[in-house]
Amino acid sequence: DADVTQTPRNRITKTGKRIMLECSQTKGHDRMYWYRQDPGLGLRLIYYSFDVKDINKGEISDGYSVSRQAQAKFSLSLESAIPNQTALYFCASRGNTDTQYFGPGTRLTVL
Amino acid sequence: SQQGEEDPQALSIQEGENATMNCSYKTSINNLQWYRQNSGRGLVHLILIRSNEREKHSGRLRVTLDTSKKSSSLLITASRAADTASYFCATDAFRSARQLTFGSGTQLTVLP
């Protein structure tokens, strides 16, 4: 079984809709991250959380919000989706080492 | 902004050849990591090298780090078709709250 899971894997939505992407990890990690990847580019950090009570903005947080419902769960919301938020979204977790473990990604298309 | 920049952007080689990818970065780092991504899938950690290390090996992978030049290289020896993927360097910089900053990646194609 995968250690970091993301749902949904694919989503097509319309401009202005609210979207939630969910992430769960079974590794018992405290740190969780949300990234987006655009074609031909590396990952950019949206938000990160060091524990349930600690949420921090990343490089590109505008237009996004997050919720850390439990140690194992970290959700990303787009309050009012716009077309330039079309991208691949990845969740990752990290424990006491420096390695991050990534989920399989969510492909989001905003029409 | 992207801390790491990979070179080349794309690399195509024959099976059995060695592949070398380079990464340059801008600020002082705690460590530098290399990740692999198969098309449209999540990233997989390959290897980490700390700022006080100069070279590290893992199987067919060899990573070097030159902190004076702020650069790193990833060498894959005896490449296989299954090595076809995108490879990203990621830096864990001082004062970054232990975030990773990713480069734009090198697309490696290994031809059978």
Side-chain angles (χ1 to χ4, degrees):
Chain A
D1 288 340
D3 295 317
V4 183
T5 58
Q6 292 183 232
T7 57
R9 295 294 314 278
N10 289 283
R11 182 72 184 267
I12 299 173
T13 190
K14 294 182 179 179
T15 297
K17 294 291 187 181
R18 184 178 188 274
I19 297 296
M20 179 180 284
L21 309 183
E22 300 190 358
C23 175
S24 294
Q25 51 100 0
T26 58
K27 300 183 76 69
H29 290 165
D30 288 326
R31 300 170 181 86
M32 297 187 74
Y33 305 81
W34 274 105
Y35 296 90
R36 72 175 272 175
Q37 184 179 34
D38 295 280
L41 298 180
L43 277 66
R44 290 183 291 166
L45 184 63
I46 306 172
Y47 269 96
Y48 61 101
S49 169
F50 283 173
D51 64 38
V52 174
K53 298 179 181 179
D54 181 85
I55 304 289
N56 304 279
K57 292 182 178 181
E59 180 187 356
I60 53 164
S61 59
D62 287 349
Y64 301 95
S65 62
V66 291
S67 173
R68 186 81 183 267
Q69 302 95 321
Q71 185 197 42
K73 297 183 182 297
F74 193 35
S75 300
L76 176 72
S77 293
L78 288 67
E79 297 302 325
S80 179
I82 56 177
N84 75 1
Q85 291 177 313
T86 293
L88 263 174
Y89 289 85
F90 290 100
C91 173
S93 71
R94 175 176 161 245
N96 293 327
T97 69
D98 293 318
T99 299
Q100 291 191 18
Y101 295 85
F102 285 81
T106 294
R107 186 174 297 277
L108 177 65
T109 303
V110 183
L111 302 175
Chain B
S1 63
Q2 295 191 309
Q3 159 87 306
E5 293 297 331
E6 284 91 342
D7 170 56
Q9 291 186 339
L11 178 62
S12 185
I13 59 174
Q14 294 294 135
E15 211 165 22
E17 294 181 339
N18 295 340
T20 300
M21 290 159 266
N22 302 296
C23 170
S24 60
Y25 58 92
K26 297 174 184 174
T27 62
S28 296
I29 59 171
N30 296 306
N31 64 71
L32 184 145
Q33 304 178 34
W34 286 90
Y35 287 79
R36 165 197 169 121
Q37 182 183 34
N38 288 81
S39 181
R41 303 183 70 173
L43 277 72
V44 175
H45 181 262
L46 294 177
I47 195 166
L48 178 153
I49 187 164
R50 301 195 182 283
S51 60
N52 61 352
E53 298 176 311
R54 292 296 167 259
E55 188 171 312
K56 204 162 183 180
H57 297 255
S58 177
R60 294 184 295 114
L61 305 179
R62 172 178 170 251
V63 170
T64 62
L65 179 65
D66 186 335
T67 53
S68 66
K69 295 181 180 178
K70 293 187 169 59
S71 67
S72 173
S73 67
L74 172 67
L75 169 67
I76 304 174
T77 61
S79 64
R80 306 166 182 168
D83 294 329
T84 295
S86 292
Y87 292 82
F88 295 90
C89 68
T91 51
D92 179 349
F94 288 123
R95 301 195 192 96
S96 70
R98 310 314 301 274
Q99 302 168 36
L100 289 179
T101 303
F102 287 82
S104 54
T106 293
Q107 172 61 50
L108 173 66
T109 302
V110 181
L111 302 170

